[in-house]
Amino acid sequence: MAFSMMQLFLLGALGPRLVDDLGVSPTVLGLTTTVGFGAAAVLSPLGGRVVDRVGPRRCLIALLLVSAAALALIGAAPGTAFLLAAVALGGLPQALANPATNKSILAAVPAERRGSVTGTKQSGVQLGAFAAGLPLAALAGAVGWRGAVWTAAAAAVVTAVWAARTLPADPPPKYTPASWLPRGTIAWLAAFSLLLGCGIASVNTYLALYGVRRLGLGETAAAALVAVLGVAGIAGRVGWSRLADRPGRALWLPSGLAVGAVAASLLLTASAHVRPLAWVAAVAVGVFAVAANAVSMVLVMQRAAPGRAGQDSALVSAGFFAGFALGPPLFGLLASAGRYGTGWLLVAAEFAGAGAVALAWAVREQRRGVRP
């Protein structure tokens, strides 16, 4: 999970260096996120079907190798067009990640432990954010941003070799009917994830640049904001996902976490006047907004139709990735004009929309008498 999104966390954490070295604008920096997650959103329904048919082990090994290739190409990028093509390639690992890992958990983990294991698994994404925001950003200060990205690519290759040697063999391929559109609970979770993704992606992409250009932080300190968000996201995903397995809690958790995410984005707005609030806001975004995605994955696994965990996970992920594709370009227009405060208010509105969708779904489920 960490490697599936490592490229985009690196682009966010190393954004100030890329802007200076490659001469890209803040809007183009946001476009890298759009391209990466746009590719992931388009490929996700197909990726889920592939996982259901050929098995998670093969897909996880492929995920790691393609991640390594995308990172290596990003590190070699001479300009904007090459960079965007490499980022698009990185959309494939993202499309495979949740279907393959969720299907592995359903096959190997007892039902009573799936919530906590899913939270730990989802925290791998934030481990990637931490690695990009602290050790790799610090390494970039010594060997340059390209060297840091190539180091991440080499680590992905090593992990692929480990996965090939240690993961259990896949079961024989099975045919499962294809479904390309979300329905029922999966549709509600996809809509929630779309709005949630818009806000999270904007924070991931522009937090470091905001720290440098508006708060006056150094490049390493600004990247550390991303690392703080990552650590908080790990704790939030593990804790809230464990709680989502308890009766009576899962139904209302997504809307509650969205409320916390709105408060976090308002703290970012206020940080332009009280700079220490940026650190508090980074923690809050991780604890609430980032954790909400893990809770949605727990709900997918609880509600997935038999034999369709891969496809249902992929459809919800497609909504999340579409949000990641849409959010940063909108924020980028505001960032290019220096209107970061308005940008954080836009993020607050996106989180509020996600909360409204989650609340409407919870009320609908309760009226239908569905067990929380």
Side-chain angles (χ1 to χ4, degrees):
M1 291 298 293
F3 283 110
S4 71
M5 287 179 56
M6 177 69 75
Q7 58 159 353
L8 294 168
F9 285 123
L10 276 171
L11 289 171
L14 303 179
R17 300 178 192 272
L18 269 73
V19 167
D20 294 336
D21 187 45
L22 295 182
V24 300
S25 68
T27 301
V28 170
L29 182 63
L31 189 60
T32 62
T33 302
T34 299
V35 169
F37 282 102
V42 171
L43 293 172
S44 279
L46 178 61
R49 181 163 171 74
V50 168
V51 171
D52 279 339
R53 294 201 64 178
V54 307
R57 178 182 180 273
R58 296 182 184 94
C59 291
L60 287 171
I61 294 169
L63 177 162
L64 290 162
L65 292 175
V66 176
S67 293
L71 286 165
L73 291 171
I74 289 171
T80 300
F82 194 100
L83 177 66
L84 293 177
V87 170
L89 176 63
L92 179 58
Q94 297 171 63
L96 294 173
N98 275 315
T101 52
N102 285 355
K103 201 167 182 70
S104 295
I105 290 172
L106 286 172
V109 179
E112 64 273 12
R113 294 187 58 238
R114 286 174 186 163
S116 60
V117 172
T118 301
T120 302
K121 181 265 291 189
Q122 291 294 125
S123 72
V125 175
Q126 299 316 116
L127 178 63
F130 172 78
L134 197 58
L136 288 172
L139 181 63
V143 302
W145 71 268
R146 295 181 190 273
V149 174
W150 286 330
T151 299
V157 172
V158 172
T159 307
V161 173
W162 169 82
R165 291 172 62 90
T166 59
L167 293 178
D170 288 320
K174 294 181 180 179
Y175 172 77
T176 55
S179 178
W180 305 106
L181 294 175
R183 295 180 175 85
T185 293
I186 302 304
W188 284 94
L189 291 174
F192 170 75
S193 297
L194 171 68
L195 292 164
L196 187 71
C198 284
I200 294 175
S202 296
V203 177
N204 284 344
T205 304
Y206 287 103
L207 184 58
L209 197 62
Y210 171 70
V212 171
R213 296 197 168 179
R214 180 54 60 88
L215 302 183
L217 300 176
E219 291 180 346
T220 301
L225 278 172
V226 181
V228 166
L229 189 157
V231 172
I234 292 172
R237 286 187 164 192
V238 172
W240 292 117
S241 295
R242 183 178 288 117
L243 191 63
D245 256 355
R246 297 181 183 177
R249 299 292 177 87
L251 201 60
W252 304 102
L253 260 182
S255 57
L257 293 175
V259 171
V262 171
S265 53
L266 294 177
L267 286 174
L268 278 173
T269 304
S271 69
H273 307 288
V274 185
R275 293 181 183 180
L277 287 179
W279 299 94
V280 179
V283 172
V285 170
V287 169
F288 296 109
V290 172
N293 175 246
V295 171
S296 70
M297 283 294 117
V298 174
L299 288 166
V300 170
M301 295 168 67
Q302 290 174 350
R303 308 296 178 93
R308 289 183 36 84
Q311 292 184 67
D312 286 350
S313 298
L315 291 171
V316 174
S317 295
F320 191 60
F321 296 150
F324 265 65
L326 294 172
L330 298 175
F331 194 105
L333 294 174
L334 297 170
S336 294
R339 299 172 60 189
Y340 284 97
T342 305
W344 300 133
L345 291 176
L346 172 63
V347 169
E350 290 161 349
F351 287 149
V357 170
L359 182 62
W361 169 75
V363 170
R364 171 180 173 272
E365 292 290 282
Q366 190 173 60
R367 286 176 177 172
R368 292 175 58 213
V370 176
R371 185 180 67 84

